[in-house]
Amino acid sequence: QVQLVESGGGLVQAGGSLRLSCAASGRTFTNFRMGWFRQPPGKEREVVASILWTSARTYYADYVKGRFTVSRDIAQNMVYLQMTSLRPEDTALYYCATGPASGAYAYWGQGTQVTVSS
């Protein structure tokens, strides 16, 4: 059973930084894709960034390019989202997700709240 557990959220002032972590377990993630999503209050869930487990190739949504960095640690089965220059509009519930690299995200964590004050 795949499990994803996020941590690292919290309250931060605009311009600050946070690092989110996602502990992944339950299978080997070779040829899987790990993604970070967020759901701002009252809005739809949106993709933030993703990384291919095997190649470490990354993707970023335009609104986080240059500010957020996604990475993974194969030995620890961890995925990270380093967030810098945070803005109030980054306030959201952040989720970790995974699935086959060429398919849909099949597994989701419970989320961790990030709140950026102005």
Side-chain angles (χ1 to χ4, degrees), residues 10-66:
L11 174 64
V12 64
Q13 289 190 327
S17 299
L18 279 176
R19 188 177 84 153
L20 304 184
S21 300
C22 174
S25 62
R27 63 159 294 137
T28 56
F29 294 95
T30 303
N31 297 322
F32 267 49
R33 176 177 48 172
M34 314 299 288
W36 286 99
F37 290 76
R38 70 185 185 186
Q39 187 165 17
K43 297 185 178 180
E44 297 289 314
R45 187 167 60 194
E46 58 189 17
V47 64
V48 174
S50 66
I51 185 167
L52 294 180
W53 189 258
T54 304
S55 68
R57 183 174 179 179
T58 57
Y59 160 84
Y60 295 95
D62 286 344
Y63 36 84
V64 304
K65 277 181 183 175

Side-chain angles (χ1 to χ4, degrees):
Q1 180 75 9
V2 173
Q3 279 198 311
L4 301 173
V5 180
E6 304 95 335
S7 62
L11 174 64
V12 64
Q13 289 190 327
S17 299
L18 279 176
R19 188 177 84 153
L20 304 184
S21 300
C22 174
S25 62
R27 63 159 294 137
T28 56
F29 294 95
T30 303
N31 297 322
F32 267 49
R33 176 177 48 172
M34 314 299 288
W36 286 99
F37 290 76
R38 70 185 185 186
Q39 187 165 17
K43 297 185 178 180
E44 297 289 314
R45 187 167 60 194
E46 58 189 17
V47 64
V48 174
S50 66
I51 185 167
L52 294 180
W53 189 258
T54 304
S55 68
R57 183 174 179 179
T58 57
Y59 160 84
Y60 295 95
D62 286 344
Y63 36 84
V64 304
K65 277 181 183 175
R67 300 189 299 124
F68 292 10
T69 303
V70 60
S71 62
R72 89 299 188 235
D73 183 330
I74 292 178
Q76 299 293 324
N77 265 17
M78 295 290 295
V79 184
Y80 303 100
L81 185 68
Q82 179 68 49
M83 306 186 294
T84 63
S85 301
L86 283 162
R87 306 166 179 167
E89 54 264 39
D90 294 318
T91 294
L93 186 60
Y94 282 73
Y95 297 91
C96 177
T98 189
S102 58
Y105 287 97
Y107 307 97
W108 294 80
Q110 293 299 306
T112 185
Q113 179 67 38
V114 171
T115 302
V116 184
S117 64
S118 57

